[in-house]
Amino acid sequence: MPNNHRLLLTTRPAGIPRPANFTTDTVPARAPGPGEALLETRYLSIDPAMRSWMSEGTGYQQGIPLGEMMRGGGIARVVESRAEGFAPGDLVQARLGWQTHPTIAGRYLQKIDLSLGSVEDWIGPLGLSAVTAYFGLRDIGALRPGDRVLVSAAAGGVGQIAVQIARIEGCRVAGIAGGAAKCAFVGGELGAHAAIDYKAEPDLAAAIGRACPEGIDLYFDNVGGPTLDAALAHLRAGARVVLCGRISQTLAAEPYGIRNLNRLAAAHGRMQGFLVFDYHDRYDEARAWLAARRRDGSLRQKLHVLEGLAQAPVGLGMLFRGENTGKLVVRVAS
Ligand SMILES: NC(=O)c1ccc[n+]([C@@H]2O[C@H](COP(=O)([O-])OP(=O)(O)OC[C@H]3O[C@@H](n4cnc5c(N)ncnc54)[C@H](OP(=O)(O)O)[C@@H]3O)[C@@H](O)[C@H]2O)c1
């Protein structure tokens, strides 16, 4: 049996997660029992929601007990199988945890279809971040061609796909991101019509006004707080505000009080949150659409790849410092 290297959560972070919150632990991988498969982890997805799992009983999932392995999803290769329908060499998607060699029941594994895209596509533009952008824009945001769309954290995993879906659907898109390099990526590679560097703008609401001179029909919000407030000031009649995430508030000592809700009322607008898991039964629909756009070349993808399991805690901290460009993943094995 190979060794299974794991990362255990051993202390709760006070702010941004740090490698010191985790301890490395090595145990022999567990031989698969009936119905199970032994896997080798290839990629782990690093997501802002993981920070909330590190706290005690907050967020939309139970906090991870101290001393237990960190949760996390990704893609793995089947090494040995006693699970019907899975053979060595198959590539699967699952809640793997931060470990190199998980042993998991077959009912929790989903085989990935390489005719839709590569392994890197499955962790990126066919992965859950991309699926989040798809349902957030379409089902919650009721995206229509010609909409004036604004996306925050536009250079990130969810944001880069949201910008591109809106652009592909014939919308006018502006993206908000931190720093000149990210804005060049949003306005260049992603094809947004305008990019706003919120870190360089003393008055974000005014900057949004310049970038979206006709206002906003759909705001796809990844950050919450003052950015959401500034966007609300520019809503057009019938606007939709999609609450996808609120990363600016995750670590805030005091929640930011939104001031511009009157603008939502004046616009006869609506604001709605969602969780991608609500759409579990429709992931295939999103993936078919996204894969077709990958094939025709209209959907691009920037993966920010960190090498080795030990980098997973480093990566989680990077999300909260804005140090990632694109979808952040850890390559555990090639
Ligand atoms: N609803 C759902 O089911 C669902 C599913 C997945 C993700 N999400 C949410 O979607 C959002 C994006 O997730 P992701 O995985 O794609 O992460 P990401 O955008 O790739 O990375 C996070 C980005 O957030 C920005 N950021 C960090 N701190 C900030 C702050 N204080 N103020 C403003 N921006 C800040 C940084 O970009 P800049 O450098 O541009 O600031 C950073 O790169 C998160 O809020 C996440 O929780 C929701």
Side-chain angles (χ1 to χ4, degrees):
M1 276 294 138
N3 278 333
N4 183 20
H5 303 287
R6 313 184 298 173
L7 288 175
L8 312 181
L9 179 68
T10 40
T11 58
R12 299 206 184 278
I16 293 181
R18 290 177 302 125
N21 297 127
F22 299 90
T23 304
T24 311
D25 158 74
T26 301
V27 291
R30 188 167 63 74
E36 292 183 327
L38 169 65
L39 312 173
E40 181 184 37
T41 303
R42 287 196 59 186
Y43 283 101
L44 289 171
S45 173
I46 306 294
D47 305 292
M50 293 172 156
R51 170 61 183 81
S52 63
W53 308 342
M54 295 174 74
S55 298
E56 211 163 338
T58 58
Y60 60 88
Q61 284 194 33
Q62 284 276 307
I64 297 170
L66 290 182
E68 290 203 1
M69 188 180 56
M70 184 64 181
R71 287 187 207 123
I75 293 178
R77 182 192 301 115
V78 175
V79 175
E80 189 182 329
S81 176
R82 295 182 67 190
E84 203 183 317
F86 297 94
D90 283 348
L91 290 162
V92 296
Q93 205 170 236
R95 294 183 179 181
L96 302 169
W98 282 9
Q99 57 183 332
T100 58
H101 290 85
T103 302
I104 298 180
R107 65 181 178 282
Y108 299 126
L109 306 178
Q110 189 204 351
K111 227 186 265 189
I112 66 172
D113 177 357
L114 291 174
S115 73
L116 284 184
S118 65
V119 179
E120 286 70 26
D121 284 342
W122 272 89
I123 196 78
L126 304 180
L128 275 190
S129 307
V131 171
T132 301
Y134 178 91
F135 289 115
L137 280 176
R138 286 170 179 271
D139 280 57
I140 309 297
L143 184 75
R144 290 188 286 262
D147 275 347
R148 293 101 175 142
V149 176
L150 178 68
V151 178
S152 56
V158 176
Q160 64 169 316
I161 302 293
V163 166
Q164 294 183 89
I165 293 175
R167 193 240 312 133
I168 290 166
E169 293 292 34
C171 301
R172 187 190 187 282
V173 197
I176 303 174
K182 287 192 182 187
C183 284
F185 169 64
V186 170
E189 218 165 306
L190 300 185
H193 299 87
I196 303 162
D197 177 359
Y198 75 94
K199 290 184 174 165
E201 292 291 350
D203 181 343
L204 182 57
I208 292 173
R210 289 192 297 276
C212 309
E214 296 178 343
I216 301 166
D217 297 298
L218 196 169
Y219 173 46
F220 190 100
D221 187 26
N222 283 315
V223 306
T227 310
L228 170 59
D229 229 2
L232 289 177
H234 295 281
L235 297 186
R236 290 167 59 86
R240 290 87 65 200
V241 177
V242 179
L243 298 184
C244 175
R246 51 195 290 280
I247 194 166
S248 76
Q249 299 299 290
T250 310
L251 305 176
E254 290 290 326
Y256 176 88
I258 299 290
R259 297 166 199 161
N260 285 330
L261 282 175
N262 59 323
R263 306 300 287 269
L264 189 69
H268 306 91
R270 73 175 162 79
M271 181 150 77
Q272 188 179 338
F274 75 108
L275 291 177
V276 66
F277 310 115
D278 305 340
Y279 292 92
H280 185 263
D281 294 344
R282 289 174 55 202
Y283 286 176
D284 287 351
E285 168 198 325
R287 289 188 168 124
W289 190 93
L290 292 160
R293 300 306 159 312
R294 282 295 279 168
R295 274 194 299 276
D296 71 20
S298 54
L299 184 71
R300 295 183 173 191
Q301 160 72 8
K302 187 157 190 162
L303 277 186
H304 188 145
V305 183
L306 301 176
E307 297 292 344
L309 180 66
Q311 291 299 306
V314 177
L316 192 49
M318 288 172 69
L319 293 177
F320 292 90
R321 289 189 293 269
E323 291 171 355
N324 64 306
T325 302
K327 168 70 199 150
L328 190 68
V329 300
V330 169
R331 181 163 32 216
V332 179
S334 298

